[in-house]
Amino acid sequence: MKFNLRRLAAIAAVGFTIFFGGNSVADAADITSGAMQAFRRAYVTPVPDTRVFEQDITLISTNFHLDIDSRAQVLKDGSLKVGGQLNWNSTNLKNDFTTNSNIPFYVEQVGNEMTLYVKRNSKWSKISLPGFPTGLAILWKATDPKILNGVTDAAKSVEIINNTPDLITMNVTLDGTKIANILNENSAKTFAKLSGDALDAQKKNFYRWLSVFRKTDITFTWTVNKPSWTTATAIFDLTPIMRAYAIKILDESAAGRIVLTDEERDLLDAIGYYSELRSYVTRIAVRDDTVVNLPDDLKAAPENDDSLNDILSDMTKVVDRS
């Protein structure tokens, strides 16, 4: 089976932009002490109707650098809007030629549907993103007590590294297997509009992500404002998840289950063994100039899964194959 690495790039980029963390609306338990109790209290404390976060995601590899600057907005109804720029820099070692791209993008999620919009050559196009990104957004924005309890129960370890009257900072590790189970239970509806080969391909890719999460814990550093118990900042090290996914694809190729080109194999090798992916999130005040508004012309954007092909092409060309 031919593996669609181009679509993977879009899904991975967007999937990781929604690790903005934060709380969900629920009744806060009577929790007063201890690291684990502090995490659970911060996670379930009620939050305002509108939350806005700024996020920087950085992928550093051997010869390329991807930086995603974005702003995410979550509304009371659970809808999500993200807007920002994808900044791409790569250097071809054979001719020392450097490529730079700055790509505007938006993400919108309403209910079980998530769409990525990218602007190339002054025109918008869109990519539908069922499965992993949408399911992850549902998980982090949940108000369902079952999901809330599942996430708090997934906390494998919590360490308080700083505690003042105003702020508390925690290092948190979530059990990847438990997070995968929650994703699996709450992502089925995201495939509702797919059928046939498209449905089969998307589900196979989704199950790959689940298998990676089951073997890879999620770690982040979370700073929470006191006494409101709302997010101030969150820092995620996403390197283990990214590397595990790339290595899984390489293993499937070695077993003959999927077909990769030499360039794709070298790229996945670079990502799986030599790259780092991190995210830094800051909560900001909700004002007229901080809300995320999608341009009116986005709704008419045509579907185009190949919108980021040139970026992938650059990625495969700049990997050192010596």
Side-chain angles (χ1 to χ4, degrees):
M1 182 183 71
K2 184 72 172 64
F3 183 67
N4 191 340
L5 187 59
R6 292 173 300 191
R7 189 174 180 88
L8 165 64
I11 290 174
V14 174
F16 292 131
T17 65
I18 57 180
F19 271 102
F20 50 82
N23 326 57
S24 297
V25 179
D27 292 328
D30 182 15
I31 302 168
T32 56
S33 63
M36 189 69 71
Q37 288 83 355
F39 166 73
R40 292 179 176 176
R41 178 175 183 177
Y43 186 73
V44 302
T45 295
V47 295
D49 291 348
T50 301
R51 290 170 286 156
V52 180
F53 302 87
E54 288 188 341
Q55 181 174 42
D56 179 78
I57 297 177
T58 302
L59 168 63
I60 300 176
S61 193
T62 48
N63 304 314
F64 58 83
H65 180 193
L66 174 65
D67 189 76
I68 301 176
D69 297 314
S70 64
R71 182 171 293 171
Q73 173 182 295
V74 185
L75 300 180
K76 183 179 181 179
D77 62 3
S79 61
L80 166 70
K81 295 179 181 178
V82 181
Q85 285 241 14
L86 188 156
N87 307 301
W88 166 254
N89 177 285
S90 63
T91 300
N92 191 321
L93 296 183
K94 294 181 179 179
N95 55 21
D96 203 30
F97 180 76
T98 298
T99 299
N100 296 282
S101 298
N102 299 298
I103 303 171
F105 77 92
Y106 287 94
V107 177
E108 182 178 35
Q109 187 222 349
V110 179
N112 295 303
E113 296 183 21
M114 178 179 286
T115 306
L116 164 66
Y117 300 91
V118 294
K119 193 172 189 178
R120 313 306 309 275
N121 300 317
S122 301
K123 296 181 180 180
W124 289 101
S125 59
K126 65 183 179 182
I127 304 173
S128 298
L129 300 172
F132 165 62
T134 312
L136 195 60
I138 291 172
L139 184 155
W140 287 115
K141 300 186 291 90
T143 58
D144 183 342
K146 183 179 179 181
I147 299 178
L148 291 175
N149 291 333
V151 173
T152 55
D153 288 345
K156 203 171 186 178
S157 66
V158 181
E159 176 190 8
I160 296 176
I161 58 176
N162 191 37
N163 193 3
T164 72
D166 298 318
L167 298 169
I168 183 169
T169 301
M170 299 168 275
N171 282 337
V172 181
T173 299
L174 300 180
D175 186 293
T177 296
K178 292 182 178 180
I179 295 299
N181 291 340
I182 299 171
L183 281 170
N184 191 34
E185 292 172 6
N186 294 279
S187 298
K189 292 181 181 179
T190 70
F191 299 105
K193 290 190 174 182
L194 297 176
S195 61
D197 292 343
L199 176 61
D200 183 60
Q202 290 292 340
K203 282 196 169 183
K204 283 181 179 178
N205 194 48
F206 177 62
Y207 292 138
R208 286 190 186 99
W209 282 113
L210 291 185
S211 68
V212 167
F213 272 86
R214 288 192 174 100
K215 297 178 181 178
T216 313
D217 292 337
I218 301 168
T219 62
F220 61 100
T221 301
W222 191 15
T223 299
V224 175
N225 284 311
K226 293 165 51 180
S228 66
W229 291 90
T230 56
T231 296
T233 63
I235 303 172
F236 291 86
D237 182 4
L238 306 171
T239 303
I241 296 173
M242 176 190 66
R243 289 185 175 184
Y245 188 88
I247 292 170
K248 178 171 180 57
I249 299 302
L250 290 170
D251 289 344
E252 288 193 37
S253 175
R257 291 192 294 273
I258 59 175
V259 178
L260 298 172
T261 66
D262 290 342
E263 290 79 9
E264 288 172 339
R265 191 175 294 105
D266 289 338
L267 172 61
L268 288 166
D269 186 73
I271 292 174
Y273 295 98
Y274 309 110
S275 303
E276 296 182 355
L277 179 65
R278 290 184 171 82
S279 172
Y280 186 87
V281 181
T282 303
R283 184 167 177 176
I284 62 175
V286 179
R287 303 189 306 265
D288 289 344
D289 61 341
T290 62
V291 298
V292 180
N293 294 309
L294 275 60
D296 294 337
D297 56 346
L298 284 190
K299 298 302 180 182
E303 189 91 22
N304 183 6
D305 284 356
D306 298 329
S307 301
L308 298 174
N309 272 12
D310 56 329
I311 299 298
L312 179 70
S313 178
D314 283 344
M315 292 173 76
T316 58
K317 289 176 181 176
V318 300
V319 176
D320 186 3
R321 300 183 67 193
S322 59

